[in-house]
């Protein structure tokens, strides 16, 4: 599953970040790495960005970026 | 002694700097507000200290120019103490940077800032335990209220005088430590300022910024680094960069778990605010309401002050002119000077001050990143991502920081495109023209119309330019900080910080320019310049006397309006310009050639060639945009009951 397809208020775990070094590195700088739990708190309309929360920090991610983030459901 | 302030964006580093050094750094509740270093000499316990405010950086492995500069600075200058500011509400992320900084092996102190905010979130941070685990002094801080600053600096000074460097926490994976040791042995003291192990880690990760120097001074190590990198990748299945950062990431999480306990969260209004302000429909409605209110306030305050002030200065001019002998050169020059003073006091400042207060408030409250979130979908249609909104928004204040802030964008293409477009955003100087001319004579709706038209033109230009050198951009990645109640003090200082630039730099120029214009009028030089600019003024349907103010406008955009009054020889613009002419003139002024200071900033960020290109392009855009507006104004004139 990709992060871009995750519904609002859902929490998932990052499995992998695909597509070149650039995106993965930028996400790493914001402390988003494989293994982390992220929650999608908002989805902007008109194919706008997603607002995700991880480790108490909110980050806005464009759709293109979110499409490169592979995630999995967290089994509760 | 040199103390460098380092921290992630939004950790309150600049706030701390300003508390200590007295408002010299620009702050804002927006990642990446500080793009240049601000240095200040301060007294700590009777000792002179150089305090340097570095741009906020998430990590030392940064990919953008601003972040690379931070590392280069740490390496090239003799920084005695690293003062690392960590945001208590984002302890885990902050510690990742702290761990990287500790690897540099310099004396270091950590200030955990925003303890009050963390308390409201129900966080309890065990400072002494953290100190124990890191082996670096850790002190609590509420920079905004000035709490903990004294102790932090006393400690920094003591650590600096001891000269005892920090000890990094070893990596768990033995292969990583082995590689570091093998590479480090080549460097002992060979690269100035660098701890050998720190440099080894840097080079194994990437170390682009150091590559050249290392190749020159220790050439034989280059091949070995490559070999080690490949060996690590083969063994761990990932590049060293990821192996190192994953270890720091996990260590920071473990540390956070050990020292931070979460109580009951007492703050839910943040989420409630976002529910409204980021709502897929109401968010946009609120955005419009915010902008409209902002406009109305600036307009109402400005117009209330402009009328009486202008009347007073005009009376003074008439008196002076009569007293010296009207029509004489001296009287004209003196009146020119008074008109220059009047231009600043009556036309510029009444709008500029409320504008800056409003901007400062919106910045500090944290609304701007939300605007970026809402606008990303639209920005993408310009070929840019939402992060490029930073230069755009800063552009409403001044184009110079707007151009400089493009440094936070990774791609050269994004930087160039957003700088080009950001210079077309009407800055505070152009606010004077829009409000002083259009809003004053034609009403605030028309002024708002100009702002919207401006955005439409920028959108079209962005679209055209990005099609020309289209390349897929990675997209928006932007931290959205919590809302914060701005303190009146910071907003006041920020306003003063920005208004000062007008008062000290532009206003004298305005006064001198007005006097020079009188001289030029007297010796008929202005006729020559007006004739030269005739092709432009004729096409735009403006009086040819407008030519000279347009030339002066390149120095400072306000000059074009203030001098226009003199050039036309009227006190009241409506006696010399029709509403359509006012609109045409204003549109042209908004778009044509960026002011001198902006041109200089562009040249610094890009090249002379690019700067000439941007300036040339801006004239073409200004002409086309003004002509279209002119035609449009004729069409809507009957509706708004203007006279043509």
């Amino acid at each position: 599953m990709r992060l871009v397809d995750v519904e609002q208020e859902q929490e998932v775990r990052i499995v992998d970040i695909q597509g070149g070094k650039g995106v993965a590195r930028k996400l790493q700088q914001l402390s988003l790495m494989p293994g982390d739990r992220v929650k999608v708190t908002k989805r902007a309309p008109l194919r706008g960005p997603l607002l995700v929360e991880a480790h108490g920090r909110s980050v806005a991610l464009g759709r293109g970026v979110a499409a490169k983030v592979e995630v999995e459901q967290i089994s509760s | 002694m040199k103390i460098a302030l380092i921290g992630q964006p939004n950790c309150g580093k600049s706030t701390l700097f300003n508390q200590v050094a007295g408002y010299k750094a620009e702050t804002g509740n927006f990642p990446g507000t500080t793009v240049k270093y601000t240095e200040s000499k301060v007294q700590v316990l009777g000792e002179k200290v150089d305090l340097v405010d570095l741009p906020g950086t998430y990590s030392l492995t940064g990919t953008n120019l601003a972040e690379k500069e931070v590392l280069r600075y740490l390496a090239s200058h003799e920084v005695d103490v690293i003062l690392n500011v960590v945001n208590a509400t984002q302890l885990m992320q902050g510690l990742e940077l702290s761990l990287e900084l500790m690897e540099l092996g310099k004396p270091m102190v950590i200030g955990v800032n925003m303890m009050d905010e963390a308390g409201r979130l129900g966080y309890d941070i065990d400072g002494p335990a953290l100190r124990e685990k890191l082996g670096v002094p850790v002190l609590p801080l509420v920079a905004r209220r000035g709490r903990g600053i004294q102790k932090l600096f006393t400690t920094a000074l003591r650590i600096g005088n001891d000269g005892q460097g920090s000890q990094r926490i070893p990596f768990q994976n033995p292969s990583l430590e082995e590689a570091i040791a093998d590479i480090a042995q080549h460097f002992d003291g060979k690269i100035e300022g660098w701890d050998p192990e720190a440099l080894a880690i840097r080079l194994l990760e990437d170390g682009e910024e150091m590559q050249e120097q290392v190749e020159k001074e220790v050439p034989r190590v280059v091949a070995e680094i490559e070999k080690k990198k490949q060996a690590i990748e083969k063994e761990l299945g990932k590049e060293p960069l990821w192996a190192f950062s994953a270890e720091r990431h996990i260590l920071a999480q473990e540390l956070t778990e050990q020292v931070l306990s979460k109580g009951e969260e007492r703050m839910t209004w943040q989420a409630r605010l976002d529910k409204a302000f980021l709502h897929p429909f109401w968010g946009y409605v609120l955005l419009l309401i915010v902008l409209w209110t902002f406009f109305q306030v600036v307009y109402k305050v400005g117009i209330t002050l402009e009328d009486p002030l202008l009347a007073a200065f005009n009376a003074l001019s008439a008196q002076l002119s009569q007293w010296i002998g009207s029509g004489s050169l001296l009287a004209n020059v003196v009146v020119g000077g008074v008109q220059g003073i009047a231009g600043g006091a009556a036309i510029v400042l009444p709008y500029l001050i409320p504008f800056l207060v409003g901007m400062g408030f919106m910045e500090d409250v944290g609304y701007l990143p939300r605007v970026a979130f809402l606008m990303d979908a639209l920005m993408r249609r310009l070929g840019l991502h939402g992060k490029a909104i930073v230069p755009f928004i800063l552009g409403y204040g001044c184009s110079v920081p707007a151009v400089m802030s493009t440094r936070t964008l990774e791609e050269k293409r994004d930087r160039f495109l957003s700088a080009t477009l950001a210079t077309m955003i009407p800055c505070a100087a152009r606010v004077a023209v829009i409000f002083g001319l259009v809003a004053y004579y034609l009403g605030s709706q028309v002024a708002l119309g100009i702002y919207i038209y401006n955005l439409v033109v920028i959108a079209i230009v962005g679209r055209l330019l990005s099609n020309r050198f289209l390349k897929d951009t990675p997209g928006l990645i932007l931290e959205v900080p919590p809302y914060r109640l701005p303190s009146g003090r910071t907003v006041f200082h920020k306003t003063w910080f920005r208004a000062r630039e007008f008062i000290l730099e532009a206003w004298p120029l305005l006064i001198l320019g007005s006097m020079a214009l009188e001289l030029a009028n007297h010796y008929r030089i202005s006729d020559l310049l007006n004739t030269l600019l005739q092709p432009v003024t004729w096409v735009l349907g403006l009086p040819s006397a407008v030519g000279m103010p347009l030339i002066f406008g390149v120095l400072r955009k306000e000059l074009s309006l203030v001098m226009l009054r003199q050039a036309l020889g009227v006190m009241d613009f409506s006696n010399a310009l029709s509403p359509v002419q006012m609109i045409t003139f204003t549109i042209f002024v908004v778009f044509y050639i960026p002011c001198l200071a902006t041109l200089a900033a562009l040249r610094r960020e890009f090249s002379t060639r690019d700067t000439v290109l941007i300036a040339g392009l801006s004239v073409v855009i200004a002409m086309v945009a003004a002509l279209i507006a002119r035609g449009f104004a004729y069409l809507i004139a009957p509706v708004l009951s203007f006279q043509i």
Side-chain angles (χ1 to χ4, degrees):
Chain A
M1 189 170 50
R2 301 176 309 162
L3 182 60
V4 71
D5 302 320
V6 175
E7 273 165 48
Q8 199 160 308
E9 295 302 316
Q10 236 186 34
E11 203 171 359
V12 289
R13 192 190 312 278
I14 300 179
V15 181
D16 189 24
I17 297 162
Q18 293 149 347
K21 250 194 210 164
V23 172
R25 259 182 100 156
K26 289 212 62 194
L27 291 176
Q28 176 255 316
Q29 284 159 24
L30 281 156
S31 298
L32 288 171
M33 292 186 82
D36 289 351
R37 290 164 76 111
V38 293
K39 186 175 164 190
V40 176
T41 50
K42 282 271 175 327
R43 296 173 62 99
L46 305 166
R47 298 189 37 79
L50 278 72
L51 195 65
V52 302
E53 197 190 296
H55 311 291
R57 176 186 275 171
S58 284
V59 182
L61 299 178
R63 297 259 165 157
V65 177
K68 294 194 173 107
V69 181
E70 190 69 32
V71 296
E72 63 177 16
Q73 302 266 340
I74 294 170
S75 44
S76 52
Chain B
M1 164 118 28
K2 191 165 253 171
I3 300 181
L5 275 176
I6 301 177
Q8 296 194 327
N10 268 303
C11 69
K13 206 169 32 63
S14 294
T15 309
L16 174 65
F17 180 87
N18 284 338
Q19 286 278 2
V20 179
Y23 292 81
K24 280 179 187 152
E26 290 241 33
T27 63
N29 193 359
F30 202 116
T33 325
T34 314
V35 281
K36 56 179 173 185
Y37 314 147
T38 321
E39 203 173 318
S40 183
K41 291 196 193 313
V42 293
Q43 288 271 348
V44 181
L45 298 175
E47 192 167 332
K48 266 214 180 72
V49 169
D50 281 323
L51 188 61
V52 187
D53 185 29
L54 294 169
T57 173
Y58 287 108
S59 129
L60 294 181
T61 57
T63 39
N64 72 43
L65 283 174
E67 288 161 339
K68 283 195 176 131
E69 265 178 57
V70 170
L71 191 55
R72 210 170 299 151
Y73 182 85
L74 284 174
S76 67
H77 290 61
E78 275 309 307
V79 174
D80 296 299
V81 185
I82 291 176
L83 210 168
N84 174 213
V85 182
V86 172
N87 177 348
T89 69
Q90 299 180 344
L91 186 66
M92 179 253 148
Q93 292 95 330
L95 285 177
E96 274 185 64
L97 176 65
S98 303
L99 292 172
E100 278 190 286
L101 289 168
M102 282 170 61
E103 289 165 12
L104 295 175
K106 296 222 172 185
M108 179 167 150
V109 180
I110 296 176
V112 183
N113 194 19
M114 305 189 190
M115 290 298 284
D116 52 344
E117 221 171 274
R120 259 172 272 143
L121 283 169
Y123 289 5
D124 186 25
I125 296 168
D126 188 350
L130 189 58
R131 178 195 192 117
E132 183 90 1
K133 290 183 194 303
L134 294 177
V136 165
V138 178
L139 294 150
L141 193 63
V142 185
R144 219 158 64 93
R145 309 226 170 277
R147 286 209 289 268
I149 294 180
Q150 177 89 33
K151 200 156 173 221
L152 184 68
F153 275 85
T154 320
T155 312
L157 203 64
R158 184 171 52 77
I159 294 279
N161 282 330
D162 286 354
Q164 178 76 47
S166 58
Q167 281 285 325
R168 68 181 176 88
I169 298 172
F171 291 95
Q172 293 284 309
N173 193 306
S175 319
L176 294 178
E177 283 298 330
E178 223 171 87
I180 294 168
D182 285 350
I183 304 287
Q185 61 174 349
H186 295 283
F187 291 131
D188 227 354
K190 286 205 182 78
I191 308 272
E192 214 202 311
W194 277 91
D195 174 86
E197 288 195 347
L199 185 56
I201 298 170
R202 218 40 63 208
L203 289 166
L204 283 166
E205 280 186 329
D206 177 1
E208 226 182 314
E209 64 289 324
M210 293 304 298
Q211 206 75 42
E212 212 174 298
Q213 201 184 346
V214 170
E215 260 171 49
K216 209 171 76 202
E217 291 180 37
V218 198
R220 69 207 151 87
V221 81
V222 176
E224 192 171 343
I225 292 168
E226 214 35 60
K227 222 168 72 197
K228 288 275 181 237
K229 273 185 170 176
Q230 279 164 12
I232 291 173
E233 195 175 346
K234 205 167 157 203
E235 189 195 328
L236 303 175
K238 53 186 162 193
E239 288 171 57
L241 172 71
W242 299 109
F244 284 120
S245 49
E247 283 221 11
R248 289 187 203 109
H249 190 65
I250 290 165
L251 181 55
Q253 286 183 58
E254 284 170 3
L255 285 168
T256 307
E257 268 165 36
Q258 287 159 5
V259 302
L260 188 145
S261 51
K262 278 183 194 169
E264 203 179 322
E265 192 175 320
R266 275 177 283 163
M267 192 164 57
T268 51
W269 57 272
Q270 290 272 358
R272 240 175 281 154
L273 274 180
D274 267 343
K275 207 162 189 168
F277 280 108
L278 297 181
H279 190 275
F281 176 73
W282 296 111
Y284 293 91
V285 174
L286 283 167
L287 175 63
L288 284 178
I289 292 175
V290 167
L291 291 181
W292 189 82
T293 314
F294 181 42
F295 246 77
Q296 285 298 318
V297 172
V298 172
Y299 172 69
K300 287 271 150 55
V301 173
I303 206 158
T304 318
L305 295 171
E306 177 173 350
D307 273 336
L309 282 169
L310 214 50
F313 275 107
N314 286 342
L316 179 69
S317 303
Q319 277 286 321
L320 277 173
S321 162
Q322 206 174 28
W323 188 59
I324 302 171
S326 54
S328 69
L329 177 61
L330 181 65
N332 284 347
V333 172
V334 169
V335 168
V338 173
Q339 287 300 320
I341 297 171
I347 301 181
V348 180
L349 287 176
Y351 299 103
L352 186 63
I353 301 282
F355 182 84
L356 292 178
V357 170
M359 274 292 286
F361 183 82
M362 284 208 283
E363 262 180 42
D364 281 4
V365 89
Y367 186 53
L368 300 188
R370 269 101 189 158
V371 177
F373 177 80
L374 290 172
M375 298 303 286
D376 182 60
L378 281 170
M379 293 292 284
R380 254 186 336 168
R381 290 181 175 82
L382 305 190
L384 284 164
H385 56 69
K387 199 178 168 188
I389 199 110
V390 184
F392 277 49
I393 288 169
L394 289 175
Y396 283 102
C398 173
S399 303
V400 174
V403 168
M404 287 173 58
S405 72
T406 58
R407 250 183 250 176
T408 57
L409 299 167
E410 274 75 23
E411 308 278 330
K412 161 101 202 298
R413 167 201 170 277
D414 284 357
R415 282 203 298 277
F416 183 76
L417 189 53
S418 50
T420 308
L421 298 180
T423 56
M424 292 177 200
I425 296 273
C427 61
R430 284 170 268 184
V431 165
V433 184
I434 296 174
F435 278 90
L437 190 62
V438 174
Y440 185 82
Y441 289 99
L442 308 176
S444 63
Q445 284 86 351
V446 185
L448 188 59
I450 288 197
Y451 274 88
I452 293 167
Y453 179 66
N454 171 261
L455 286 175
V456 172
V457 173
I458 290 173
I460 295 169
V461 173
R463 194 69 238 174
L464 291 174
L465 285 181
S466 63
N467 267 344
R468 266 193 51 101
F469 39 3
L470 191 72
K471 201 181 130 237
D472 204 19
T473 52
L476 177 74
I477 301 178
L478 179 74
E479 182 188 346
V480 179
Y483 294 99
R484 292 190 181 117
L485 203 63
S487 78
R489 217 176 103 138
T490 30
V491 174
F492 171 79
H493 279 285
K494 194 183 287 213
T495 304
W496 164 239
F497 191 77
R498 292 173 181 168
R500 195 179 55 181
E501 201 208 270
F502 168 76
I503 293 168
L504 298 182
E505 287 170 31
W507 208 354
L509 208 65
L510 245 157
I511 297 166
L512 286 176
S514 297
M515 290 159 84
L517 184 69
E518 289 297 337
L519 281 172
N521 270 336
H522 189 83
Y523 294 107
R524 311 231 158 259
I525 302 167
S526 42
D527 288 352
L528 179 71
L529 292 173
N530 287 339
T531 313
L532 279 175
L533 272 188
Q534 196 117 42
V536 176
T537 47
W538 180 80
V539 170
L540 296 175
L542 296 169
S544 64
V546 167
M548 180 88 171
L550 285 179
I551 292 175
F552 274 83
V554 177
L555 291 176
R556 288 286 304 195
K557 293 275 176 165
E558 307 95 330
L559 271 173
S560 54
L561 179 68
V562 174
M563 301 193 50
L564 185 63
R565 231 144 49 97
Q566 282 166 274
L568 295 172
V570 291
M571 291 299 168
D572 182 343
F573 284 120
S574 60
N575 290 335
L577 293 175
S578 71
V580 173
Q581 285 178 321
M582 288 183 190
I583 293 173
T584 317
F585 173 79
T586 307
I587 299 281
F588 189 77
V589 167
V590 165
F591 287 103
Y592 90 116
I593 311 184
C595 76
L596 217 53
T598 311
L599 289 174
L602 284 170
R603 213 182 134 241
R604 237 184 356 252
E605 295 303 319
F606 303 102
S607 66
T608 311
R609 200 183 130 260
D610 287 345
T611 310
V612 172
L613 191 70
I614 292 175
L617 190 67
S618 74
V619 176
V620 176
I621 294 165
M623 286 296 282
V624 175
L627 277 176
I628 293 172
R630 189 182 168 204
F632 188 64
Y634 272 111
L635 284 178
I636 61 157
V639 186
L640 293 171
S641 63
F642 291 164
Q643 301 148 341
I644 296 169

